[in-house]
């Protein structure tokens, strides 16, 4: 593995306030590309993500080392005036603040955007919430699941004969964090010419809505309401999950005319190409179920590796439906360093997804796993604020850090 580069954001300082996933994932992305991310956590408690996750070897969360990777942990009681003053002193020389408290919380603490930009006009603040900073729903508590439902993704996820399903990950939180990161980078570009920071307002429901393709004009102009369709795309065929020998499954996507021709040839069924039922995109959509049965009968008679080799050789998009085990065994994951490993004093080597996307000249890197609570108090309070050991001990005794 090559020596990690400093990263294109290595000259930036980020102060992360908030907890769980929506804000902290934005901080993770910025840290991946080299930013110094100082995470402020409640003394003695820290981010609840330190306790989250189904599996907890050695009593340790396996989620925390990922979402807090590359960050510095500093304890700071933001609910106390002394803690708020410490936060302001850190933010005075920061480039970015990331937070995901309910709107109005930071203002009550004297840490709102307008208050902070008085001491740091170049400051960019990313605020990630369920409903955004204004509008009638802004004061409501807004978790990712509610944003997913409001943004439309929950309604169209799952099988048509079942209630709406969860995607299996915290999709709404993560999308809002990704859009917040895009907003931060855009604001940084603008700051180069203006010298002024600005507010980045990323709402979970809007981040989900932004991914909903043509859902809105389909309803208003076409009079069509998208519904749950399980594993298929309505009127897009063939594009489905198909069985293979031994009860395994593969995904095949061959709905484009030229690709369908290659699939039919690979199956030894060139008669399908000129069959009026399957001759073009529209006809295949109408006869989707019948066509899926034909393809499924062919795939079910073969081993997974054999049928995938045939399809790959023919230029037909197809692949396994990966689990974590498949990812660890796949040579393509290894070749692109899609999975990286970080040392942990108790958990050993921790595998996690690598940095995305890959930059040719200034790639990002994962510098370390999520830190211990308050691990960087001496560095930040001593190096940045010039507080002595005695000063820090006094602050700790008062419950400020």
């Amino acid at each position: 593995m090559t020596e990690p580069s400093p990263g294109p954001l290595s000259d930036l300082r980020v102060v992360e306030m908030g907890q769980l996933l929506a804000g902290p994932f934005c901080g993770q992305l910025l840290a991946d590309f080299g930013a110094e991310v100082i995470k402020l956590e409640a003394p003695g408690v820290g981010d609840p993500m330190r306790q989250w996750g189904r599996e907890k070897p050695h009593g340790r969360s396996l989620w925390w080392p990922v979402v807090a990777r590359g960050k510095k942990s500093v304890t700071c009681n933001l609910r106390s005036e002394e803690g708020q003053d410490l936060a302001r002193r850190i933010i005075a020389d920061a480039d970015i603040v990331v937070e995901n408290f309910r709107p109005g919380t930071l203002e009550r603490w004297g840490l709102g955007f307008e208050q902070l930009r008085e001491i740091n006009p170049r400051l960019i603040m990313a605020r990630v919430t369920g409903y955004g900073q204004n509008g009638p729903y802004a004061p409501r508590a807004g978790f990712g699941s509610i944003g997913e439902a409001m943004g439309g993704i929950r309604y169209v996820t799952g099988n048509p004969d079942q209630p709406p399903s969860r995607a299996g990950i915290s999709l709404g939180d993560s999308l809002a964090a990704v859009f917040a990161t895009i907003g931060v980078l855009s604001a940084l570009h603008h700051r180069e010419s203006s010298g002024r920071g600005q507010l980045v307002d990323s709402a979970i429901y809007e981040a989900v809505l932004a991914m909903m393709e043509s859902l809105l004009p389909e309803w208003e102009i076409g009079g069509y309401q998208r519904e749950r369709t399980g594993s298929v795309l309505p009127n897009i065929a063939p594009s489905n999950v198909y069985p293979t020998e031994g009860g395994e499954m593969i995904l095949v996507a061959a709905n484009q005319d030229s690709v369908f021709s290659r699939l039919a040839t690979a199956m030894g069924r060139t008669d399908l190409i000129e069959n009026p039922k399957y001759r073009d995109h529209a006809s295949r959509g109408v006869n989707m179920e019948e066509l899926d049965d034909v393809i499924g009968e062919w795939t079910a008679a073969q081993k997974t590796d054999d049928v995938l080799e045939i399809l790959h050789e023919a230029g037909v998009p197809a692949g396994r439906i990966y689990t974590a085990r498949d990812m660890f065994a796949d040579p393509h994951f290894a070749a692109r360093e899609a999975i990286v490993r970080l040392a942990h004093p108790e958990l050993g080597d921790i595998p996690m997804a690598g940095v995305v996307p890959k930059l040719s000249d200034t790639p990002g890197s994962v510098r370390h796993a999520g830190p211990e609570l308050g691990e960087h108090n001496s560095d930040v309070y001593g190096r940045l604020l010039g507080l002595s050991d005695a000063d820090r001990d006094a602050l700790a005794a008062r419950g400020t850090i």
Side-chain angles (χ1 to χ4, degrees), residues 105-369:
T105 301
L106 289 187
E107 282 73 13
R108 291 195 300 273
W109 295 343
L111 298 171
F113 177 63
E114 294 300 330
Q115 296 157 308
L116 292 176
R117 76 185 310 181
E118 291 181 3
I119 62 173
N120 185 351
R122 292 173 56 81
L123 184 69
I124 294 165
M125 176 181 277
R127 312 191 77 166
V128 188
T129 56
Y131 304 100
Q133 296 299 308
N134 65 320
Y137 301 164
R140 295 180 180 178
F143 270 28
S145 56
I146 308 304
E148 291 168 18
M150 186 175 176
I153 192 68
R154 286 288 181 118
Y155 185 81
V156 299
T157 303
N159 291 315
D161 58 344
Q162 296 290 326
S165 298
R166 183 175 181 269
I169 57 172
S170 302
L171 186 62
D173 288 319
S174 299
L175 283 175
V178 170
F179 279 106
T181 305
I182 295 172
V184 165
L185 299 178
S186 300
L188 283 167
H189 181 72
H190 179 262
R191 193 179 72 176
E192 289 183 5
S193 59
S194 70
R196 299 278 295 176
Q198 61 183 298
L199 179 65
V200 177
D201 181 357
S202 182
I204 295 173
Y205 87 95
E206 289 172 350
V208 173
L209 179 63
M211 306 301 294
M212 295 307 296
E213 302 171 346
S214 56
L215 178 106
L216 296 177
E218 284 173 3
W219 168 253
E220 182 167 288
I221 299 174
Y224 172 71
Q225 170 63 56
R226 285 201 191 189
E227 300 289 344
R228 292 182 291 284
T229 59
S231 62
V232 303
L233 287 167
N235 302 318
I236 306 294
S239 182
N240 206 343
V241 175
Y242 301 96
T244 59
E245 186 179 291
E248 294 185 339
M249 296 178 293
I250 61 171
L251 192 71
V252 179
N255 47 287
Q256 187 178 343
D257 289 348
S258 60
V259 181
F260 176 69
S261 295
R262 296 200 292 268
L263 171 62
T265 301
M267 293 171 57
R269 292 294 307 274
T270 54
D271 59 296
L272 298 175
I273 299 172
E274 295 302 323
N275 188 319
K277 292 183 177 180
Y278 315 127
R279 187 180 307 166
D280 54 35
H281 178 82
S283 59
R284 289 193 299 275
V286 172
N287 297 287
M288 178 173 61
E289 292 186 9
E290 182 178 325
L291 179 57
D292 280 344
D293 288 341
V294 172
I295 298 170
E297 183 177 350
W298 176 72
T299 59
Q302 303 177 74
K303 294 180 179 179
T304 300
D305 289 342
D306 294 339
V307 71
L308 286 178
E309 183 177 355
I310 292 171
L311 295 175
H312 293 159
E313 183 67 26
V316 176
R320 295 177 178 272
I321 301 170
Y322 278 39
T323 64
R325 177 183 296 178
D326 298 316
M327 297 174 190
F328 283 114
D330 192 287
H332 194 77
F333 278 69
R336 288 182 54 82
E337 298 182 356
I339 299 174
V340 297
R341 293 181 178 274
L342 283 79
H344 190 280
E346 293 187 16
L347 299 173
D349 284 348
I350 305 175
M352 60 185 71
V355 177
V356 180
K358 300 182 185 301
L359 303 185
S360 61
D361 293 343
T362 56
S365 63
V366 185
R367 288 164 285 173
H368 59 77

Side-chain angles (χ1 to χ4, degrees), residues 19-171:
Q19 56 192 22
L20 298 176
L21 192 58
F25 186 49
C26 175
Q28 176 194 322
L29 296 176
L30 296 172
D32 281 351
F33 286 98
E36 178 190 23
V37 178
I38 300 172
K39 181 175 179 64
L40 305 185
E41 300 187 74
V45 180
D47 192 321
M49 290 297 289
R50 291 180 176 275
Q51 308 301 323
W52 276 39
R54 178 173 177 174
E55 301 299 327
K56 294 182 182 177
H58 305 285
R60 295 279 189 163
S61 165
L62 294 178
W63 208 332
W64 174 254
V66 179
V67 74
R69 68 192 197 184
K71 301 177 184 178
K72 295 179 177 179
S73 172
V74 170
T75 51
C76 183
N77 183 0
L78 294 175
R79 290 169 170 79
S80 71
E81 290 186 7
E82 195 170 37
Q84 293 157 11
D85 181 63
L86 287 175
R88 277 189 287 271
R89 292 174 64 185
I90 296 172
I91 292 168
D93 290 322
D95 296 281
I96 302 156
V97 167
V98 177
E99 68 96 10
N100 64 313
F101 292 107
R102 197 182 300 190
T105 301
L106 289 187
E107 282 73 13
R108 291 195 300 273
W109 295 343
L111 298 171
F113 177 63
E114 294 300 330
Q115 296 157 308
L116 292 176
R117 76 185 310 181
E118 291 181 3
I119 62 173
N120 185 351
R122 292 173 56 81
L123 184 69
I124 294 165
M125 176 181 277
R127 312 191 77 166
V128 188
T129 56
Y131 304 100
Q133 296 299 308
N134 65 320
Y137 301 164
R140 295 180 180 178
F143 270 28
S145 56
I146 308 304
E148 291 168 18
M150 186 175 176
I153 192 68
R154 286 288 181 118
Y155 185 81
V156 299
T157 303
N159 291 315
D161 58 344
Q162 296 290 326
S165 298
R166 183 175 181 269
I169 57 172
S170 302
L171 186 62

